Amino acid sequence: MGCVIWNWLRGWPGGAVWLSFGTRPDVHGKAFAAHAHWLLGHQDEALAACREAITLARAIDHPYSQALAFAYACITHQMRRDLPELRNAVDELRGLCDRYGFAYYREWALILDGWSREGASGADLVRRGIGDLKSEGAFARMPYWLSLLADLSARDSQPDAARAALDAALAAGRAHHDVWWLPEVMRMRAAYDEQQSAVARLLSAAQMASEHGSVALLRRCERDLGTRNVRLPASGVPTTA
């Protein structure tokens, strides 16, 4: 879906049309497409789309489009686990939000900056960013944000906090029909299950990833199933009872 939207948006004339929420469609489309490419398993295309969005936003000298491009770049680099690029993008995004008083994407910077850090200070930033988004009524991507908090909690040896964050992520995804990241949330949550329940949850996560066409998330499920000596059928689509 993301690539379809991107192809549609990039057909608009470059300087003539703006989206109702203040960004250029060609910038927004390329930035959005980076995430779709990553989910489809197209690592090089994801990085290229990310960089193209930033280059275009800078060329038109439009601060809000630049903030959007860097915000989406932050998520792209986080999913790629590229910490140096993530930190660079966070610094750019934070500077734009501070300079122009942008909210919303400021919270993205807080959360992703926090995830890139070690220790309690990082978790505090993530919680602050999530709290700000909730207070703004901005629940899009909440399962993703909560999974980052869970990841930090796990790194800090706080399994109960990690499990609670993942359960909240599952509930938020289902309540708001925000399911693109749920296969990853389910995969992470399986780490806190007993063997039989973990395998069942991983198979469900793989099923959902397959249905979404999320190759990258399906591969993560396959890896975790492999550590439990469970293999998906050759089609890559598990069957669940």
Side-chain angles (χ1 to χ4, degrees):
M1 176 61 74
C3 289
V4 172
I5 294 172
W6 173 47
N7 287 330
W8 174 71
L9 288 172
R10 70 177 182 175
W12 285 92
V17 177
W18 295 79
L19 297 180
S20 61
F21 36 89
T23 57
R24 275 265 295 261
D26 44 1
V27 174
H28 207 141
K30 289 179 186 296
F32 188 91
H35 299 174
H37 280 306
W38 185 86
L39 290 166
L40 290 168
H42 305 158
Q43 292 278 339
D44 292 342
E45 291 90 337
L47 188 56
C50 169
R51 289 173 173 169
E52 287 169 12
I54 291 171
T55 298
L56 180 57
R58 281 177 164 159
I60 64 175
D61 195 24
H62 185 250
Y64 192 66
S65 289
Q66 290 176 39
L68 176 141
F70 278 110
Y72 277 74
C74 288
I75 293 182
T76 301
H77 296 315
Q78 189 282 322
M79 292 191 299
R80 297 178 67 252
R81 304 298 175 98
D82 188 333
L83 285 178
E85 288 293 336
L86 170 58
R87 291 189 180 110
N88 290 338
V90 164
D91 287 344
E92 294 272 8
L93 177 57
R94 187 191 299 111
L96 286 162
C97 291
D98 289 347
R99 190 176 313 127
Y100 296 100
F102 298 144
Y104 188 57
Y105 293 126
R106 174 194 62 202
E107 277 62 73
W108 291 31
L110 281 174
I111 296 169
L112 289 153
D113 183 17
W115 179 84
S116 73
R117 299 188 183 194
E118 298 288 340
S121 64
D124 288 343
L125 284 176
V126 174
R127 291 190 190 95
R128 178 180 158 195
I130 290 174
D132 288 348
L133 287 172
K134 288 180 176 179
S135 69
E136 295 164 12
F139 291 95
R141 299 176 187 80
M142 192 55 65
Y144 172 73
W145 303 131
L146 288 166
S147 77
L148 299 188
L149 178 59
D151 193 29
L152 274 179
S153 297
R155 279 191 260 158
D156 292 340
S157 301
Q158 298 179 37
D160 291 342
R163 184 167 50 246
L166 292 169
D167 286 340
L170 289 170
R174 290 163 180 155
H176 297 283
H177 307 289
D178 190 350
V179 299
W180 69 279
W181 197 247
L182 286 193
E184 177 66 359
V185 175
M186 294 166 67
R187 182 194 71 82
M188 294 172 67
R189 182 61 177 80
Y192 303 96
D193 291 332
E194 297 296 331
Q195 171 71 2
Q196 186 174 355
S197 296
V199 169
R201 197 187 295 269
L202 286 169
L203 288 172
S204 294
Q207 178 79 37
M208 182 179 289
S210 180
E211 290 169 354
H212 292 177
S214 298
V215 174
L217 300 186
L218 178 59
R219 286 173 180 163
R220 290 185 177 184
C221 293
E222 289 175 333
R223 180 197 65 203
D224 285 13
L225 284 165
T227 65
R228 296 176 182 274
N229 298 314
V230 177
R231 300 181 66 179
L232 292 177
S235 65
V237 181
T239 56
T240 55

